[in-house]
Amino acid sequence: MNALLTMLGLLMVITLLATCVGLLIDHRVIAGAPAWAKPAKFAISFSVYCFTFVWLLSFLRRWKKIATALAAITTIGVLLDMVLIVLQVIRGVRSHFNVATPFDDMVYRIMGFGSALIFLAAFVTAIFLLFERRTDRTLIWSLRLGLVIMMFGMFAGFLMTQATQAQLVAYHAGHLPPIFGAHSVGVPDGGPGLPFLGWSTTGGDLRIAHFVGLHALQVLPLLGWFLSVQPFQRLSTGQRVALVWTIGLGYVGLVGSLLWQALRGQSLIAPDGLTWITWGLVVGLTLVMSGAIILRARLSTVQ
């Protein structure tokens, strides 16, 4: 177990408790949301990520020094992001996309560097997991795919940093807008949104694909573990790996469809017919292919 990341995960839990106090006693609003909502959400996300990454790094048995270095890189990235988010809340200004002053611009750039460190550590971990041979194949493939899909989710986060059309117009006119980038597509940030999450209910929101993609790192390894327990030994190793790949590809399809929906400026709660068809195809194909693998395993057992 990596002590550094474990302690960081516990620190994020303590941070979450502190932000909950902030939500109760500090009624300021930043960008249309309670001031302490963003650090609360990040504290939850980072705590889950830290404990998950501790577990992932435990599979790098032959590369303990590298695992320690990856934990340190991740710790630096998480701390940079979390400390600066809290700092900006204390100052009463936005943390993300804020370039209103040289100081705010510097804070935003450092946060971007912190996120890049987290991505780099995940990317390197995925590469080393390709060479892990001593772990159950079903579980190790679920870890690999979970990391890859998580990085796809991070890409959705990168899209948020791109300027909106209105911001580009202002920039080309010689006026640097105070906000550069956005969560929402087709509507301004800070409008009507889902409770606590804040996801736009009137336009597209890139945070949805970002969120779902990131949590592949928990969903797929949980699936891999589930398929590895005794009741599922009737499935051959190859069939269990195929099932992980099938559901993993379905998960990619889901993240991709959510990203596509957001880029079209469409709210999650108001999907059009094309979006419904896309979701139906993703879910339907995943279920059919998974069912075919399970049915084949049962027929093989009967024979």
Side-chain angles (χ1 to χ4, degrees):
M1 179 179 290
N2 188 282
L4 185 63
L5 267 183
T6 302
M7 290 176 61
L8 181 61
L10 293 174
L11 179 60
M12 292 300 105
V13 173
I14 296 170
T15 303
L16 172 61
L17 296 176
T19 59
C20 288
V21 174
L23 286 169
L24 291 174
I25 66 175
D26 185 351
H27 302 295
R28 290 176 301 154
V29 173
I30 300 175
W36 290 96
K38 174 162 285 190
K41 289 185 286 187
F42 271 79
I44 294 171
S45 181
F46 281 146
S47 62
V48 172
Y49 184 79
C50 287
F51 293 128
T52 304
F53 210 60
V54 167
W55 182 57
L56 283 174
L57 291 177
S58 69
F59 292 95
L60 303 186
R61 300 182 183 93
R62 291 183 288 167
W63 304 284
K64 291 185 178 180
K65 289 184 178 179
I66 292 174
T68 300
L70 293 172
I73 291 170
T74 302
T75 299
I76 294 170
V78 170
L79 283 176
L80 282 175
D81 277 7
M82 196 73 237
V83 169
L84 293 175
I85 289 171
V86 171
L87 171 65
Q88 293 296 70
V89 169
I90 293 172
R91 296 181 64 232
V93 298
R94 293 180 60 154
S95 51
H96 290 75
F97 319 128
N98 187 357
V99 295
T101 68
F103 180 80
D104 292 323
D105 184 41
M106 179 185 68
V107 167
Y108 182 40
R109 290 177 185 274
I110 295 174
M111 287 174 59
F113 176 68
S115 298
L117 289 179
I118 297 170
F119 179 88
L120 175 64
F123 180 73
V124 173
T125 301
I127 291 174
F128 275 94
L129 283 175
L130 290 174
F131 300 98
E132 172 56 44
R133 296 288 183 268
R134 291 179 291 179
T135 304
D136 178 86
R137 283 180 59 205
T138 308
L139 180 57
I140 201 65
W141 271 113
S142 70
L143 298 178
R144 293 165 179 165
L145 291 173
L147 273 167
V148 171
I149 299 171
M150 183 201 75
M151 288 186 282
F152 181 30
M154 286 184 173
F155 170 73
F158 167 75
L159 292 178
M160 299 178 202
T161 66
Q162 306 306 295
T164 65
Q165 190 61 40
Q167 291 165 356
L168 283 175
V169 169
Y171 179 77
H172 290 306
H175 306 289
L176 180 64
I179 302 298
F180 210 82
H183 298 124
S184 303
V185 178
V187 294
D189 278 354
L194 295 177
F196 185 67
L197 294 171
W199 297 342
S200 178
T201 55
T202 57
D205 201 310
L206 296 167
R207 287 174 293 185
I208 301 168
H210 181 58
F211 174 87
V212 175
L214 290 181
H215 288 290
L217 193 58
Q218 287 80 42
V219 174
L220 285 181
L222 180 62
L223 169 69
W225 170 83
F226 185 65
L227 290 175
S228 300
V229 298
Q230 189 61 37
F232 291 90
Q233 292 303 314
R234 70 183 67 180
L235 295 171
S236 69
T237 299
Q239 288 166 335
R240 283 183 282 136
V241 171
L243 202 52
V244 167
W245 265 94
T246 298
I247 296 174
L249 290 174
Y251 201 103
V252 171
L254 175 61
V255 176
S257 67
L258 291 171
L259 180 58
W260 182 53
Q261 182 190 25
L263 290 172
R264 289 187 292 136
Q266 186 181 108
S267 169
L268 175 68
I269 64 172
D272 62 10
L274 196 56
T275 300
W276 277 116
I277 291 172
T278 304
W279 289 346
L281 286 173
V282 169
V283 174
L285 286 173
T286 302
L287 289 176
V288 168
M289 293 174 67
S290 299
I293 293 169
I294 294 171
L295 180 61
R296 182 176 179 180
R298 290 190 173 183
L299 290 176
S300 298
T301 302
V302 170
Q303 293 174 355

